[in-house]
Amino acid sequence: MREMDKVIPNLAHRGIYVGRCFVSETYAYKGIAGPHVVLVKNNEVFDLSEYFNSTAQLINTPNIISKLRKLEQLKSLGKLTDILENSIFSVRKSDLPYFIAPNDIQAVKACGVTFIESLLERVIEEKAKGDASKASELRAVIIDRIGEDLSTVVPGSNNAMLLKEELQNQGLWSQYLEVGIGKDAEIFTKSQPLSSVGYGAEIGVLGDSNWNNPEPEVVLAVSKEGKIIGATLGNDVNLRDYEGRSALLLGEAKDQNGSCAIGPLIRLFDDTFTLETIKKETINLKITGVDGFELQASSPMGKISRAPEKLVKQAIGKNHQYPDGLVLFCGTMFAPTKDRNIPGNGFTHKVGDKVEIFSEHLGTLANWVNDCDKIAPWEWGISSFLEFHTKRSLA
């Protein structure tokens, strides 16, 4: 945990952070084990179960910042650093609290192709039909024809429509270019409510996928009214070979056991942290393999092609409501091309990879890669959630 100390102080001493811990009967509110809504301050984790049944309820509470600041004599579940350490799947002691994904019954939505760098890689995936061995050659051809710098193109603008026409004439138009520079953003369902994994958990890829990668992203916490309340970090685990073979395989490429990681906590907007902070945030990534492989990258939010508030406006509004609110992945510019084994085949995950996603204001989300069928199965769904709160209300 010592390498995490550079990031933890932001969580311990500044800002308002909320999330969830799984708490055993020994420490649980009313002695009923299950997910507890928590508040983190001064390097301590406090139970909010007396006030909130879910982070969805918390996010949708008016004037939530002032209400949280007025709460006194909250029960401590332990030190932040201790609970973070116990959250790591390989050393976890089940009788002690550990962090789980901070979102619960909110919809989990994601935006694709919001950065030019990833836009070009999506086009390459499509043209390669999911075959990593063809990617290097196609990359050179497409960049030569299109160029690398599309950053001046405003999605949906007249210039974008002229570029679309030109690319169509060249036979290079793609469904990814449509959502990358067209008027409509790509917004899809990433995962199901309550299925996300949190800090320290294993993340999953399909065992037969041979071209996949993490996608480090800012995740916005959005109320049912469409107001952005806060933000956290996320890993939109992606199977590039599946998506490259067909866009109709997006569900298989994106929504598998352990394919959605969010955390460690949601930082709420206040006078120290705003949407403008997010727009200037740099999301960093570090991958460390058991084979000695290492990859580092960064994704500055300043390079996003669609402003976060515009993405939210397309996700929720008069045409589409989310009564419990939603969490929204904003997309990434990270699409690794560094060869891992075979020259020209680029990067793909291996079992045991440690994936760290971190930023100055949101902390660190750390997870370990395994096959989807080898990690802990998703067992806590809507029925479990309802049963848990029924027991609480009757206790």
Side-chain angles (χ1 to χ4, degrees), residues 119-275:
L119 163 60
L120 294 177
E121 286 301 310
R122 297 290 89 81
V123 174
I124 291 163
E125 282 175 16
E126 181 186 31
K127 300 302 182 184
K129 300 187 183 302
D131 186 347
S133 65
K134 298 178 181 178
S136 182
E137 180 181 351
L138 279 167
R139 188 174 295 111
V141 172
I142 290 173
I143 289 175
D144 180 63
R145 298 280 294 278
I146 297 179
E148 288 186 277
D149 188 11
L150 298 177
S151 59
T152 60
V153 179
V154 177
S157 66
N158 289 334
N159 285 341
M161 295 305 97
L162 290 173
L163 177 60
K164 173 179 179 178
E165 183 178 354
E166 179 183 338
L167 293 173
Q168 285 176 323
N169 291 336
Q170 294 182 24
L172 286 175
W173 189 246
S174 160
Q175 58 196 344
Y176 295 105
L177 285 164
E178 178 66 48
V179 295
I181 65 176
K183 67 181 182 68
D184 298 311
E186 178 190 14
I187 301 177
F188 57 93
T189 297
K190 168 58 186 175
S191 193
Q192 307 308 306
L194 294 170
S195 70
S196 305
V197 300
Y199 173 87
E202 287 185 293
I203 50 177
V205 298
L206 289 180
D208 65 351
S209 171
N210 53 31
W211 192 17
N212 49 70
N213 62 257
E215 293 190 359
E217 305 185 22
V218 165
V219 180
L220 302 175
V222 183
S223 74
K224 61 184 179 182
E225 287 85 16
K227 182 179 180 181
I228 306 173
I229 305 298
T232 184
L233 297 169
N235 187 348
D236 175 10
V237 182
N238 181 44
L239 309 183
R240 299 187 69 180
D241 43 4
Y242 272 71
E243 186 177 1
R245 292 208 309 271
S246 170
L248 299 181
L249 292 175
L250 186 66
E252 286 82 350
K254 293 288 190 179
D255 187 8
Q256 302 289 345
N257 189 28
S259 66
C260 177
I262 299 179
L265 299 161
I266 296 171
R267 183 170 183 176
L268 302 180
F269 287 162
D270 62 3
D271 53 354
T272 69
F273 179 68
T274 68
L275 185 59

Side-chain angles (χ1 to χ4, degrees), residues 327-379:
V327 290
L328 181 66
F329 283 75
C330 289
T332 184
M333 64 180 283
F334 177 74
T337 58
K338 178 180 178 181
D339 291 335
R340 185 161 194 175
N341 289 321
I342 303 172
N345 273 25
F347 170 85
T348 194
H349 270 310
K350 288 190 175 184
V351 170
D353 281 354
K354 180 181 181 181
V355 182
E356 297 168 275
I357 298 170
F358 54 99
S359 76
E360 179 183 357
H361 297 95
L362 296 174
T364 296
L365 173 63
N367 299 99
W368 282 260
V369 175
N370 204 343
D371 292 339
C372 291
D373 61 343
K374 302 281 195 313
I375 68 176
W378 175 33
E379 296 178 323

Side-chain angles (χ1 to χ4, degrees), residues 81-131:
T81 47
D82 293 339
I83 293 179
L84 279 169
E85 187 166 14
N86 194 52
S87 301
I88 298 175
F89 79 99
S90 58
V91 298
R92 181 176 301 156
K93 298 176 182 177
S94 59
D95 59 320
L96 298 178
Y98 57 90
F99 284 115
I100 54 179
N103 55 306
D104 39 52
I105 58 174
Q106 303 97 324
V108 185
K109 308 294 286 187
C111 302
V113 202
T114 56
F115 289 82
I116 296 305
E117 285 82 352
S118 64
L119 163 60
L120 294 177
E121 286 301 310
R122 297 290 89 81
V123 174
I124 291 163
E125 282 175 16
E126 181 186 31
K127 300 302 182 184
K129 300 187 183 302
D131 186 347

